[in-house]
Amino acid sequence: MGTLALLDALWEMPAEKRIFGAVLLFSWTVYLWETFLAQRQRRIYKTTTHVPPELGQIMDSETFEKSRLYQLDKSTFSFWSGLYSEIEGTLILLFGGIPYLWRLSGRFCSYAGFGPEYEITQSLVFLLLATLFSALTGLPWSLYNTFVIEEKHGFNQQTLGFFMKDAIKKFVVTQCILLPVSSLLLYIIKIGGDYFFIYAWLFTLAVSLVLVTIYADYIAPLFDKFTPLPEGKLKEEIEVMAKSIDFPLTKVYVVEGSKRSSHSNAYFYGFFKNKRIVLFDTLLEEYSVLNKDIQEDSSMEPRKEDEGNSEEIKAKVKVSSFFLRDSTLMNSFLCFFLFAVLIGRKELFAAFGFYDSQPTLIGLLIIFQFIFSPYNEVLSFCLTVLSRRFEFQADAFAKKLGKAQDLYSALIKLNKDNLGFPVSDWLFSMWHYSHPPLLERLQMFTLKSNVMKDSQFLKLYVSLLHISVHFLNENLLCA
């Protein structure tokens, strides 16, 4: 009876109070759920102190312990930073931080001679102040993560001066992109009439395509040095592999990631017939391709075992790619359509302290960040499940190409180099991991021969293999 009475009392509250209470309740529900999952995984880190039997011959005890301690430190950091973030967000809502920042933005505009009718100008000042607040409050956490945790475990390569210069540069570049794009979006919404949501959707789609296209050529070089991969055996191997799977590769770059971290990484970008691969120089450490050609290694000769109908796998993955791409576009359109339906509801604005005005930017913030939060959580989980499926498809494609043993060995090597912990709680993994855990991926391979010898070439070569075939899974426009 007590619970029912409480629910009845909540339902009798004004609509704006119910909305505000529901937003806070859901936010803390998600936080507690995430904390519960994190504690399950943390228990795995604490109790799994020996190499699992299935990894006994491929992972030594020293590396296993290093990865366990690294993940424990990251888990502790994640708990405290997550708790701070949740408390900060709650206090901002409870004490009217959003309307206060909007009024403060208005005062700054009035000092410059802009009245309330200049809503877009005030919105840009609001965005500038909000991102500045976020950057400043997040700075101590970022410093601790970089110079304590990453430094302790041998990954950090940055100096404090480089870190601060980089942070300032990131903030400035972000504003140079965020403010013009936001002003145009707000203007489109203002003048778009009844069908503004269609124009806004098309605009955001166009901006996304442009940013993805220019990022690696014009934005990323502002922060890191990119150089073409020199001619040699490695480049030849990459080009041959790309050609064998119809990957429209035009260029291969090396990025100087080692000045930030010793973590290894790689990615590709581009559209249609113009795709490029970017390798972090940490993947090339102890590898002589930058100075001379690779010596022939008979262990890397393509094997015929486990080959199958790779065209069939490729076709299936392309269908999945189109499905993901179209689903993403439809989801974006749906969100803008629902925004158009809800933007006129004054109680939504009143719930967050806006009783006399309904600024468009605030409407975007309320609806996309708070009202859509349950939907976003469900969507995020579904995309995580879909991404894991695509990763398994990429693994299957590599296996069909006869590269199962290479990929098997490379996954182990990359996991060791980045101190990934190979054991995961099933529920934590299911909810968080867009890439399957190491053990799950290794179980996909049934190898008759022993694992190949550990080599830098192996790590790099098969990393590129997986990057190349993985392009079939991405939600980019296919060739």
Side-chain angles (χ1 to χ4, degrees):
M1 289 297 293
T3 302
L4 292 176
L6 177 60
L7 292 176
D8 288 340
L10 289 173
W11 188 252
E12 293 298 324
M13 295 174 66
E16 60 268 22
K17 297 293 184 182
R18 295 201 304 269
I19 293 171
F20 184 80
V23 166
L24 276 183
L25 178 62
F26 184 78
S27 177
W28 277 94
T29 300
V30 171
Y31 169 75
L32 292 175
W33 167 248
E34 296 277 2
T35 302
F36 166 72
L37 294 179
Q39 290 304 310
R40 288 176 60 99
Q41 182 62 24
R42 184 174 177 81
R43 191 179 304 117
I44 296 292
Y45 298 146
K46 285 185 172 181
T47 58
T48 310
T49 57
H50 297 89
V51 181
E54 53 266 50
L55 295 177
Q57 296 183 354
I58 57 180
M59 190 171 191
D60 60 89
S61 298
E62 181 181 359
T63 302
F64 184 84
E65 181 65 10
K66 285 181 178 179
S67 66
R68 189 181 75 87
L69 296 177
Y70 177 50
Q71 298 300 331
L72 268 176
D73 284 347
K74 288 178 62 178
S75 174
T76 302
F77 174 81
S78 178
F79 171 79
W80 289 110
S81 61
L83 178 61
Y84 168 81
S85 179
E86 187 64 24
I87 293 175
E88 178 190 81
T90 300
L91 292 177
I92 288 174
L93 292 178
L94 288 175
F95 291 98
I98 298 176
Y100 171 78
L101 194 60
W102 180 257
R103 292 192 299 269
L104 181 62
S105 304
R107 286 201 290 271
F108 281 124
C109 289
S110 64
Y111 296 152
F114 297 99
E117 66 274 15
Y118 291 91
E119 182 185 314
I120 293 180
T121 302
Q122 186 174 351
S123 298
L124 298 184
V125 176
F126 176 90
L127 281 175
L128 178 62
L129 294 177
T131 52
L132 179 60
F133 173 82
S134 177
L136 292 177
T137 55
L139 182 60
W141 297 99
S142 183
L143 285 168
Y144 185 87
N145 181 59
T146 301
F147 292 100
V148 177
I149 297 179
E150 295 295 300
E151 183 80 27
K152 174 182 176 181
H153 294 279
F155 289 117
N156 177 49
Q157 304 295 324
Q158 301 180 70
T159 64
L160 181 59
F162 177 87
F163 177 92
M164 296 304 300
K165 179 182 177 181
D166 202 49
I168 294 172
K169 191 187 298 185
K170 287 178 182 178
F171 182 82
V172 172
V173 172
T174 298
Q175 302 312 310
C176 290
I177 298 174
L178 175 65
L179 298 183
V181 169
S182 299
S183 63
L184 287 174
L185 176 61
L186 293 173
Y187 182 73
I188 290 171
I189 293 174
K190 287 287 186 182
I191 68 169
D194 293 338
Y195 299 101
F196 76 86
F197 61 94
I198 298 178
Y199 309 132
W201 172 66
L202 291 174
F203 173 72
T204 56
L205 176 61
V207 169
S208 298
L209 294 177
V210 169
L211 288 177
V212 170
T213 302
I214 69 173
Y215 173 77
D217 288 326
Y218 300 101
I219 300 176
L222 296 174
F223 302 94
D224 298 298
K225 180 180 179 181
F226 287 74
T227 57
L229 181 66
E231 297 294 332
K233 185 68 174 180
L234 174 60
K235 187 174 182 180
E236 292 175 9
E237 291 280 357
I238 295 172
E239 291 173 344
V240 169
M241 185 180 299
K243 185 177 181 179
S244 70
I245 60 171
D246 300 327
F247 184 87
L249 179 65
T250 57
K251 293 182 180 179
V252 183
Y253 290 108
V254 178
V255 60
E256 191 181 5
S258 57
K259 67 180 182 180
R260 301 174 185 278
S261 171
S262 57
H263 285 293
S264 55
N265 201 357
Y267 62 91
F268 80 91
Y269 69 100
F271 293 102
F272 304 112
K273 298 294 184 179
N274 184 29
K275 292 186 171 69
R276 306 174 184 185
I277 288 177
V278 177
L279 312 174
F280 279 50
D281 60 350
T282 48
L283 279 175
L284 304 174
E285 288 179 356
E286 302 179 17
Y287 182 57
S288 60
V289 72
L290 294 179
N291 301 312
K292 60 180 180 179
D293 287 354
I294 305 172
Q295 296 180 353
E296 294 293 333
D297 186 346
S298 60
S299 66
M300 300 312 300
E301 290 295 323
R303 290 184 301 277
K304 300 299 183 181
E305 62 186 25
D306 292 331
E307 286 188 354
N309 190 353
S310 61
E311 291 300 322
E312 178 182 353
I313 297 291
K314 189 187 301 183
K316 289 181 179 179
V317 178
K318 279 194 173 183
V319 170
S320 300
S321 177
F322 278 113
F323 172 76
L324 178 58
R325 184 194 66 188
D326 294 342
S327 299
T328 302
L329 294 177
M330 290 305 298
N331 171 70
S332 176
F333 180 82
L334 175 63
C335 288
F336 273 108
F337 173 75
L338 293 176
F339 169 77
V341 172
L342 297 174
I343 188 64
R345 303 295 295 268
K346 293 184 177 180
E347 60 268 29
L348 291 179
F349 291 89
F352 294 90
F354 290 85
Y355 300 100
D356 302 321
S357 63
Q358 291 84 42
T360 302
L361 177 66
I362 300 302
L364 285 167
L365 174 66
I366 291 173
I367 294 173
F368 277 85
Q369 181 171 340
F370 299 121
I371 304 303
F372 285 174
S373 54
Y375 169 75
N376 291 336
E377 288 294 325
V378 174
L379 178 64
S380 176
F381 173 70
C382 291
L383 291 178
T384 297
V385 173
L386 192 60
S387 175
R388 287 164 64 101
R389 173 176 175 147
F390 285 171
E391 287 295 322
F392 280 128
Q393 287 180 335
D395 290 349
F397 184 51
K399 186 176 179 180
K400 289 292 183 180
L401 292 175
K403 302 295 184 181
Q405 189 171 352
D406 296 347
L407 180 57
Y408 183 94
S409 301
L411 289 173
I412 296 168
K413 176 63 178 173
L414 291 171
N415 188 80
K416 289 180 180 179
D417 289 351
N418 290 284
L419 292 185
F421 196 70
V423 184
S424 301
D425 173 76
W426 71 271
L427 192 56
F428 181 88
S429 170
M430 180 185 70
W431 186 260
H432 282 292
Y433 289 170
S434 59
H435 288 54
L438 178 63
L439 282 178
E440 288 186 29
R441 299 184 76 169
L442 297 185
Q443 290 169 359
M444 294 293 294
F445 301 97
T446 54
L447 301 177
K448 298 179 181 179
S449 57
N450 294 329
V451 177
M452 294 174 58
K453 64 180 181 180
D454 183 10
S455 69
Q456 292 294 334
F457 179 75
L458 171 64
K459 178 180 74 171
L460 177 60
Y461 181 86
V462 186
S463 297
L464 292 172
L465 164 69
H466 213 58
I467 292 167
S468 299
V469 298
H470 184 68
F471 90 96
L472 296 171
N473 309 335
E474 293 297 316
N475 59 329
L476 300 176
L477 295 175
C478 293

